[in-house]
Amino acid sequence: MSHLMNTYARLPVAFSHGNGSWLTDSEGRVYLDALSGIAVSTLGHNHPDLVGAISTQAARILHSSNLYEIPLQTQLADRLAELSGMDEVFFCNSGCEANEAAIKLARLYGHRQGVETPTTVVMERAFHGRTMATLSATGSRKAQAGFEPLVAGFVRVPYNRLEAIRAVARSNKNIIAVMLEVVQGEGGINSADIEFLRGLRALCDDRGWLLICDEVQCGMGRTGTWFAFQHARIRPDVVTLAKGLGGGVPIGACLAAGLAKGLFRPGNHGSTFGGNQLATTAALTTISVVERDGLIERAVTIGELIRDGLREALGDCPGVLDIRGQGLMIGVELGRPCAELVTRALAAGLLINVTADTVVRLLPPLTFSADEGRELVARLAPLIRDFLRTA
Ligand SMILES: *Cc1c(COP(=O)(O)O)cnc(C)c1O
């Protein structure tokens, strides 16, 4: 019997090594990776620059603690500020921790405004993590069930509905922030409309609320800009990152600007591992390879190639409701629950995911080539067709 706690419904496969967009299992079978370990392996597997940089760093120093100066952390904060237009960065190790920092910042901000029970507006179908505060911010009753009492201080509205936020604000005088994923990942690849984002920015400015963008999944170039909020040409007050930031090495970040700047003081927040030498080297290297190799531009063209290919192959399928997404964040919504497509794809040598019951989710590495994009379509489209034919 396994001594692992029973928290995952794992597929019966273990990978022994990888190369680019391909993974090999313990039996020697090879798979095309169209998921990147859920948007983590930005540069694919075993990227020579990343392997080299973290090996060299490991031989120098892995960790010293935030009791001391960490020049690599300062450098990474500079790079992230430059790419995002944000001002300050706090480093942690995961997406939920980045969001915890964001939620704490918002509460501190509220208290500084004299609001005793600061409240953050969150979205239906949102996913912000599994810690108590981020679970409470998450819009899934299934994920929350059994873990009550939830953390107070959140109100929920439908996504992409500015009027719903205005309506909530009429009855609730404690609102101090609005938090959303610019593209919802777990919720089924739902993009915020540009007009909604701009309206939200204006509303937050008008009311003195913080605009918090959770870019844990959609950030780091995946949607065709470094950060998805940049499509709307707005600047949030808080941005959270993790998943793709370290190319596979755990690292998260909470970025602040505007009204959210300068709120934390020593003693307000911290993390033992946050921003250590290993993790910051991985992130600095990931960023410089994405930049050097033009991987963001590539995310746009390969993403289009994949969506066009899927539309061509599945356009006449009545069971395919929508093919959507931005860059290499792609969703194919079917007319019925399709979780079993994941095992069928595995048998066909393809790694995909199904989220929100009915949405096939594709998050290939940003290094995905045009040939790999065509191969993905060639493997996936017949699986979806067969699935929809056999009920
Ligand atoms: C995955 C995810 C998180 C949680 O990240 P962890 O590293 O698993 O804690 C938070 N927000 C979004 C949008 C995510 O996709």
CSV table of all heavy atoms in Angstrom, one decimal, residues 99 103 120-145 148 150-151 154-159 179-181 184-188 190 214 355-357:
chain,number,residue,atom,x,y,z
A,99,ASN,N,-0.8,34.5,-4.3
A,99,ASN,CA,-2.1,35.1,-4.0
A,99,ASN,C,-2.4,35.4,-2.6
A,99,ASN,O,-3.1,36.3,-2.3
A,99,ASN,CB,-3.2,34.1,-4.6
A,99,ASN,CG,-3.2,34.1,-6.1
A,99,ASN,OD1,-2.9,35.1,-6.7
A,99,ASN,ND2,-3.6,33.0,-6.7
A,103,ILE,N,-3.6,38.9,-1.3
A,103,ILE,CA,-4.8,39.1,-0.4
A,103,ILE,C,-4.4,39.8,0.9
A,103,ILE,O,-5.1,40.7,1.3
A,103,ILE,CB,-5.4,37.7,-0.1
A,103,ILE,CG1,-6.1,37.1,-1.4
A,103,ILE,CG2,-6.5,37.8,1.0
A,103,ILE,CD1,-6.3,35.6,-1.3
A,120,THR,N,-12.8,41.7,-0.7
A,120,THR,CA,-12.3,41.6,-2.1
A,120,THR,C,-13.4,41.0,-3.0
A,120,THR,O,-13.9,39.9,-2.6
A,120,THR,CB,-11.0,40.8,-2.1
A,120,THR,OG1,-10.0,41.5,-1.3
A,120,THR,CG2,-10.5,40.7,-3.5
A,121,VAL,N,-13.6,41.6,-4.1
A,121,VAL,CA,-14.6,41.0,-5.1
A,121,VAL,C,-13.8,40.0,-5.9
A,121,VAL,O,-12.7,40.2,-6.4
A,121,VAL,CB,-15.1,42.1,-6.0
A,121,VAL,CG1,-16.0,41.5,-7.1
A,121,VAL,CG2,-15.8,43.2,-5.3
A,122,VAL,N,-14.4,38.8,-6.0
A,122,VAL,CA,-13.8,37.7,-6.7
A,122,VAL,C,-14.8,37.1,-7.7
A,122,VAL,O,-16.0,37.5,-7.7
A,122,VAL,CB,-13.3,36.5,-5.8
A,122,VAL,CG1,-12.0,37.0,-5.0
A,122,VAL,CG2,-14.4,36.0,-4.9
A,123,MET,N,-14.3,36.3,-8.7
A,123,MET,CA,-15.2,35.9,-9.8
A,123,MET,C,-15.7,34.5,-9.7
A,123,MET,O,-15.1,33.6,-9.1
A,123,MET,CB,-14.4,36.0,-11.1
A,123,MET,CG,-13.7,37.3,-11.4
A,123,MET,SD,-14.9,38.6,-11.7
A,123,MET,CE,-14.2,40.0,-10.8
A,124,GLU,N,-16.9,34.3,-10.3
A,124,GLU,CA,-17.4,32.9,-10.5
A,124,GLU,C,-16.4,32.1,-11.3
A,124,GLU,O,-15.8,32.7,-12.3
A,124,GLU,CB,-18.8,32.9,-11.1
A,124,GLU,CG,-19.9,33.4,-10.2
A,124,GLU,CD,-21.2,33.6,-10.8
A,124,GLU,OE1,-21.4,33.2,-12.0
A,124,GLU,OE2,-22.1,34.1,-10.1
A,125,ARG,N,-16.2,30.8,-11.0
A,125,ARG,CA,-15.4,29.9,-11.7
A,125,ARG,C,-13.9,30.3,-11.6
A,125,ARG,O,-13.0,29.7,-12.3
A,125,ARG,CB,-15.7,29.8,-13.2
A,125,ARG,CG,-17.1,29.1,-13.4
A,125,ARG,CD,-17.3,28.8,-14.8
A,125,ARG,NE,-17.7,30.0,-15.6
A,125,ARG,CZ,-18.0,30.0,-16.9
A,125,ARG,NH1,-17.9,28.8,-17.6
A,125,ARG,NH2,-18.3,31.1,-17.5
A,126,ALA,N,-13.5,31.2,-10.7
A,126,ALA,CA,-12.1,31.5,-10.5
A,126,ALA,C,-11.4,30.4,-9.8
A,126,ALA,O,-12.0,29.6,-9.1
A,126,ALA,CB,-12.0,32.8,-9.6
A,127,PHE,N,-10.1,30.3,-10.0
A,127,PHE,CA,-9.2,29.4,-9.2
A,127,PHE,C,-8.0,30.2,-8.8
A,127,PHE,O,-7.3,30.7,-9.6
A,127,PHE,CB,-8.7,28.2,-10.1
A,127,PHE,CG,-7.9,27.2,-9.2
A,127,PHE,CD1,-8.5,26.3,-8.4
A,127,PHE,CD2,-6.5,27.3,-9.2
A,127,PHE,CE1,-7.8,25.5,-7.6
A,127,PHE,CE2,-5.8,26.4,-8.4
A,127,PHE,CZ,-6.4,25.5,-7.6
A,128,HIS,N,-7.8,30.3,-7.4
A,128,HIS,CA,-6.7,31.0,-6.9
A,128,HIS,C,-5.8,30.2,-6.0
A,128,HIS,O,-4.8,30.7,-5.5
A,128,HIS,CB,-7.2,32.2,-6.1
A,128,HIS,CG,-7.9,33.2,-7.0
A,128,HIS,ND1,-7.3,33.9,-8.1
A,128,HIS,CD2,-9.2,33.7,-7.0
A,128,HIS,CE1,-8.2,34.7,-8.7
A,128,HIS,NE2,-9.4,34.6,-8.0
A,129,GLY,N,-6.1,28.9,-5.8
A,129,GLY,CA,-5.3,28.0,-5.0
A,129,GLY,C,-6.0,27.2,-3.9
A,129,GLY,O,-7.2,27.3,-3.9
A,130,ARG,N,-5.2,26.5,-3.1
A,130,ARG,CA,-5.8,25.6,-2.2
A,130,ARG,C,-5.6,25.9,-0.7
A,130,ARG,O,-5.9,25.1,0.2
A,130,ARG,CB,-5.2,24.2,-2.4
A,130,ARG,CG,-5.5,23.7,-3.9
A,130,ARG,CD,-6.9,23.1,-4.0
A,130,ARG,NE,-7.0,22.3,-5.2
A,130,ARG,CZ,-8.0,21.5,-5.5
A,130,ARG,NH1,-9.0,21.4,-4.6
A,130,ARG,NH2,-8.1,20.9,-6.6
A,131,THR,N,-4.9,27.0,-0.4
A,131,THR,CA,-4.7,27.4,1.0
A,131,THR,C,-6.0,28.0,1.5
A,131,THR,O,-6.9,28.2,0.6
A,131,THR,CB,-3.6,28.4,1.1
A,131,THR,OG1,-4.0,29.6,0.3
A,131,THR,CG2,-2.2,27.9,0.7
A,132,MET,N,-6.2,28.2,2.7
A,132,MET,CA,-7.6,28.6,3.2
A,132,MET,C,-8.0,29.9,2.6
A,132,MET,O,-9.2,30.0,2.1
A,132,MET,CB,-7.6,28.6,4.7
A,132,MET,CG,-7.8,27.3,5.4
A,132,MET,SD,-9.1,26.2,4.7
A,132,MET,CE,-10.5,27.2,4.8
A,133,ALA,N,-7.2,30.9,2.5
A,133,ALA,CA,-7.6,32.2,1.9
A,133,ALA,C,-7.9,32.0,0.4
A,133,ALA,O,-8.9,32.5,-0.1
A,133,ALA,CB,-6.6,33.3,2.2
A,134,THR,N,-6.9,31.4,-0.3
A,134,THR,CA,-7.1,31.3,-1.7
A,134,THR,C,-8.2,30.3,-2.1
A,134,THR,O,-8.9,30.5,-3.1
A,134,THR,CB,-5.8,30.8,-2.4
A,134,THR,OG1,-5.4,29.6,-1.9
A,134,THR,CG2,-4.7,31.8,-2.2
A,135,LEU,N,-8.5,29.3,-1.3
A,135,LEU,CA,-9.6,28.4,-1.5
A,135,LEU,C,-10.9,29.2,-1.3
A,135,LEU,O,-11.9,29.0,-2.1
A,135,LEU,CB,-9.6,27.3,-0.5
A,135,LEU,CG,-10.7,26.2,-0.5
A,135,LEU,CD1,-10.6,25.4,-1.8
A,135,LEU,CD2,-10.6,25.3,0.7
A,136,SER,N,-10.9,30.1,-0.4
A,136,SER,CA,-12.1,30.9,-0.1
A,136,SER,C,-12.4,31.9,-1.3
A,136,SER,O,-13.5,32.2,-1.6
A,136,SER,CB,-12.0,31.7,1.2
A,136,SER,OG,-11.6,30.8,2.3
A,137,ALA,N,-11.3,32.3,-1.9
A,137,ALA,CA,-11.4,33.2,-3.1
A,137,ALA,C,-11.8,32.4,-4.3
A,137,ALA,O,-12.3,33.0,-5.3
A,137,ALA,CB,-10.1,34.0,-3.3
A,138,THR,N,-11.5,31.1,-4.3
A,138,THR,CA,-11.8,30.3,-5.5
A,138,THR,C,-13.3,30.1,-5.7
A,138,THR,O,-14.0,30.0,-4.7
A,138,THR,CB,-11.1,28.9,-5.3
A,138,THR,OG1,-9.7,29.1,-5.5
A,138,THR,CG2,-11.6,27.9,-6.3
A,139,GLY,N,-13.8,30.1,-6.9
A,139,GLY,CA,-15.2,30.0,-7.2
A,139,GLY,C,-15.7,28.6,-7.5
A,139,GLY,O,-16.4,28.4,-8.4
A,140,SER,N,-15.3,27.6,-6.7
A,140,SER,CA,-15.8,26.3,-6.9
A,140,SER,C,-16.2,25.7,-5.6
A,140,SER,O,-15.4,25.4,-4.7
A,140,SER,CB,-14.6,25.4,-7.5
A,140,SER,OG,-14.9,24.0,-7.2
A,141,ARG,N,-17.5,25.5,-5.4
A,141,ARG,CA,-18.1,24.9,-4.2
A,141,ARG,C,-17.5,23.5,-3.9
A,141,ARG,O,-17.4,23.1,-2.8
A,141,ARG,CB,-19.6,24.9,-4.3
A,141,ARG,CG,-20.3,26.2,-4.0
A,141,ARG,CD,-20.0,26.7,-2.6
A,141,ARG,NE,-20.3,25.8,-1.5
A,141,ARG,CZ,-19.6,25.7,-0.4
A,141,ARG,NH1,-18.6,26.5,-0.2
A,141,ARG,NH2,-20.0,24.8,0.5
A,142,LYS,N,-17.2,22.8,-5.0
A,142,LYS,CA,-16.7,21.4,-4.9
A,142,LYS,C,-15.4,21.4,-4.2
A,142,LYS,O,-15.1,20.6,-3.4
A,142,LYS,CB,-16.6,20.8,-6.3
A,142,LYS,CG,-16.9,19.3,-6.4
A,142,LYS,CD,-17.0,18.9,-7.9
A,142,LYS,CE,-15.6,18.5,-8.5
A,142,LYS,NZ,-15.7,18.2,-9.9
A,143,ALA,N,-14.5,22.4,-4.6
A,143,ALA,CA,-13.2,22.5,-4.0
A,143,ALA,C,-13.3,23.0,-2.5
A,143,ALA,O,-12.4,22.6,-1.7
A,143,ALA,CB,-12.3,23.5,-4.8
A,144,GLN,N,-14.3,23.7,-2.2
A,144,GLN,CA,-14.4,24.3,-0.8
A,144,GLN,C,-15.1,23.3,0.1
A,144,GLN,O,-14.9,23.4,1.3
A,144,GLN,CB,-15.2,25.6,-0.9
A,144,GLN,CG,-14.5,26.7,-1.6
A,144,GLN,CD,-15.4,27.9,-1.9
A,144,GLN,OE1,-16.7,27.8,-1.8
A,144,GLN,NE2,-14.8,29.1,-2.1
A,145,ALA,N,-15.9,22.4,-0.4
A,145,ALA,CA,-16.8,21.6,0.4
A,145,ALA,C,-16.0,20.8,1.4
A,145,ALA,O,-15.0,20.1,1.0
A,145,ALA,CB,-17.6,20.6,-0.5
A,148,GLU,N,-15.0,24.2,5.4
A,148,GLU,CA,-15.6,25.4,6.1
A,148,GLU,C,-15.1,25.3,7.6
A,148,GLU,O,-14.9,24.2,8.1
A,148,GLU,CB,-17.1,25.3,6.0
A,148,GLU,CG,-17.7,25.4,4.6
A,148,GLU,CD,-17.7,24.0,3.9
A,148,GLU,OE1,-17.2,23.0,4.5
A,148,GLU,OE2,-18.2,24.0,2.8
A,150,LEU,N,-14.9,28.9,5.8
A,150,LEU,CA,-14.0,29.6,4.9
A,150,LEU,C,-13.5,30.9,5.4
A,150,LEU,O,-14.1,31.4,6.4
A,150,LEU,CB,-14.7,29.8,3.5
A,150,LEU,CG,-15.2,28.5,2.8
A,150,LEU,CD1,-16.0,28.9,1.6
A,150,LEU,CD2,-14.0,27.7,2.4
A,151,VAL,N,-12.5,31.5,4.8
A,151,VAL,CA,-12.0,32.8,5.2
A,151,VAL,C,-13.0,33.9,4.8
A,151,VAL,O,-13.5,33.8,3.6
A,151,VAL,CB,-10.6,33.1,4.6
A,151,VAL,CG1,-10.2,34.5,4.9
A,151,VAL,CG2,-9.6,32.1,5.2
A,154,PHE,N,-14.7,37.9,1.2
A,154,PHE,CA,-14.8,37.8,-0.3
A,154,PHE,C,-16.3,37.9,-0.7
A,154,PHE,O,-17.1,37.3,0.0
A,154,PHE,CB,-14.2,36.5,-0.8
A,154,PHE,CG,-12.7,36.3,-0.5
A,154,PHE,CD1,-12.3,35.6,0.6
A,154,PHE,CD2,-11.8,37.0,-1.3
A,154,PHE,CE1,-10.9,35.4,0.9
A,154,PHE,CE2,-10.4,36.9,-1.0
A,154,PHE,CZ,-10.0,36.1,0.1
A,155,VAL,N,-16.5,38.6,-1.8
A,155,VAL,CA,-17.9,38.5,-2.4
A,155,VAL,C,-17.7,38.1,-3.9
A,155,VAL,O,-16.7,38.5,-4.5
A,155,VAL,CB,-18.7,39.8,-2.4
A,155,VAL,CG1,-19.1,40.1,-0.9
A,155,VAL,CG2,-17.9,41.0,-2.9
A,156,ARG,N,-18.6,37.3,-4.4
A,156,ARG,CA,-18.4,36.7,-5.7
A,156,ARG,C,-19.4,37.3,-6.7
A,156,ARG,O,-20.6,37.6,-6.4
A,156,ARG,CB,-18.6,35.2,-5.6
A,156,ARG,CG,-18.1,34.5,-6.8
A,156,ARG,CD,-18.0,33.0,-6.5
A,156,ARG,NE,-17.3,32.7,-5.3
A,156,ARG,CZ,-16.0,32.7,-5.2
A,156,ARG,NH1,-15.2,33.0,-6.3
A,156,ARG,NH2,-15.4,32.4,-4.1
A,157,VAL,N,-18.9,37.6,-7.9
A,157,VAL,CA,-19.7,38.1,-9.0
A,157,VAL,C,-19.4,37.3,-10.3
A,157,VAL,O,-18.4,36.6,-10.4
A,157,VAL,CB,-19.4,39.6,-9.3
A,157,VAL,CG1,-19.7,40.5,-8.1
A,157,VAL,CG2,-18.0,39.8,-9.8
A,158,PRO,N,-20.3,37.3,-11.3
A,158,PRO,CA,-20.0,36.7,-12.6
A,158,PRO,C,-18.9,37.4,-13.3
A,158,PRO,O,-18.7,38.6,-13.2
A,158,PRO,CB,-21.3,36.8,-13.4
A,158,PRO,CG,-22.3,37.4,-12.5
A,158,PRO,CD,-21.7,38.0,-11.3
A,159,TYR,N,-18.1,36.6,-14.0
A,159,TYR,CA,-17.0,37.0,-14.8
A,159,TYR,C,-17.4,37.9,-15.9
A,159,TYR,O,-18.5,37.7,-16.5
A,159,TYR,CB,-16.2,35.8,-15.3
A,159,TYR,CG,-14.8,36.0,-15.8
A,159,TYR,CD1,-13.8,36.4,-15.0
A,159,TYR,CD2,-14.5,35.6,-17.1
A,159,TYR,CE1,-12.5,36.5,-15.5
A,159,TYR,CE2,-13.2,35.7,-17.6
A,159,TYR,CZ,-12.2,36.1,-16.8
A,159,TYR,OH,-10.9,36.2,-17.2
A,179,MET,N,-10.3,41.0,-7.6
A,179,MET,CA,-9.3,40.0,-7.9
A,179,MET,C,-9.8,39.1,-9.0
A,179,MET,O,-10.9,38.6,-8.9
A,179,MET,CB,-8.9,39.2,-6.7
A,179,MET,CG,-7.9,38.1,-6.9
A,179,MET,SD,-7.5,37.4,-5.3
A,179,MET,CE,-6.1,36.3,-5.7
A,180,LEU,N,-9.0,38.9,-10.1
A,180,LEU,CA,-9.4,38.0,-11.2
A,180,LEU,C,-8.3,37.5,-12.0
A,180,LEU,O,-7.2,38.0,-11.9
A,180,LEU,CB,-10.4,38.8,-12.2
A,180,LEU,CG,-9.7,39.7,-13.2
A,180,LEU,CD1,-10.7,40.0,-14.3
A,180,LEU,CD2,-9.2,41.0,-12.6
A,181,GLU,N,-8.5,36.3,-12.6
A,181,GLU,CA,-7.6,35.8,-13.6
A,181,GLU,C,-7.9,36.5,-14.9
A,181,GLU,O,-9.1,36.5,-15.3
A,181,GLU,CB,-7.8,34.3,-13.8
A,181,GLU,CG,-7.5,33.4,-12.5
A,181,GLU,CD,-8.3,32.1,-12.6
A,181,GLU,OE1,-7.8,31.2,-13.2
A,181,GLU,OE2,-9.4,32.1,-12.0
A,184,GLN,N,-9.1,32.8,-17.3
A,184,GLN,CA,-9.3,31.8,-16.3
A,184,GLN,C,-8.8,30.4,-16.9
A,184,GLN,O,-9.2,30.1,-18.0
A,184,GLN,CB,-10.8,31.6,-16.0
A,184,GLN,CG,-11.4,32.8,-15.2
A,184,GLN,CD,-12.9,32.6,-14.8
A,184,GLN,OE1,-13.6,31.9,-15.5
A,184,GLN,NE2,-13.2,33.2,-13.7
A,185,GLY,N,-8.0,29.8,-16.1
A,185,GLY,CA,-7.4,28.5,-16.5
A,185,GLY,C,-8.3,27.3,-16.1
A,185,GLY,O,-9.0,26.7,-16.9
A,186,GLU,N,-8.3,27.0,-14.8
A,186,GLU,CA,-9.1,25.9,-14.3
A,186,GLU,C,-10.6,26.0,-14.6
A,186,GLU,O,-11.3,25.0,-14.8
A,186,GLU,CB,-8.9,25.7,-12.8
A,186,GLU,CG,-7.5,25.6,-12.3
A,186,GLU,CD,-6.7,24.6,-12.9
A,186,GLU,OE1,-7.1,23.4,-12.8
A,186,GLU,OE2,-5.6,24.9,-13.5
A,187,GLY,N,-11.0,27.3,-14.7
A,187,GLY,CA,-12.4,27.6,-15.0
A,187,GLY,C,-12.9,27.3,-16.4
A,187,GLY,O,-14.0,27.4,-16.7
A,188,GLY,N,-11.9,26.9,-17.3
A,188,GLY,CA,-12.3,26.5,-18.6
A,188,GLY,C,-11.8,27.4,-19.7
A,188,GLY,O,-12.4,27.4,-20.8
A,190,ASN,N,-11.4,30.9,-20.0
A,190,ASN,CA,-12.3,32.0,-20.3
A,190,ASN,C,-11.5,33.3,-20.2
A,190,ASN,O,-10.9,33.6,-19.2
A,190,ASN,CB,-13.4,32.0,-19.2
A,190,ASN,CG,-14.1,30.7,-19.1
A,190,ASN,OD1,-14.5,30.1,-20.0
A,190,ASN,ND2,-14.1,30.2,-17.8
A,214,ASP,N,-4.5,37.8,-11.1
A,214,ASP,CA,-3.8,36.5,-10.9
A,214,ASP,C,-3.4,36.0,-12.3
A,214,ASP,O,-4.2,35.5,-13.1
A,214,ASP,CB,-4.8,35.5,-10.2
A,214,ASP,CG,-4.2,34.1,-10.0
A,214,ASP,OD1,-3.2,33.8,-10.6
A,214,ASP,OD2,-4.9,33.3,-9.3
A,355,THR,N,-10.6,20.3,-18.1
A,355,THR,CA,-11.0,21.1,-16.9
A,355,THR,C,-12.4,21.6,-17.0
A,355,THR,O,-13.0,21.5,-18.2
A,355,THR,CB,-10.0,22.3,-16.8
A,355,THR,OG1,-10.2,22.9,-15.5
A,355,THR,CG2,-10.1,23.3,-17.9
A,356,ALA,N,-13.0,22.0,-15.9
A,356,ALA,CA,-14.4,22.4,-15.9
A,356,ALA,C,-15.3,21.4,-16.6
A,356,ALA,O,-16.2,21.8,-17.3
A,356,ALA,CB,-14.5,23.8,-16.6
A,357,ASP,N,-15.0,20.1,-16.4
A,357,ASP,CA,-15.8,19.0,-16.9
A,357,ASP,C,-15.8,18.8,-18.4
A,357,ASP,O,-15.7,17.7,-18.9
A,357,ASP,CB,-17.3,19.1,-16.5
A,357,ASP,CG,-17.4,18.9,-15.0
A,357,ASP,OD1,-16.5,18.2,-14.4
A,357,ASP,OD2,-18.4,19.4,-14.4
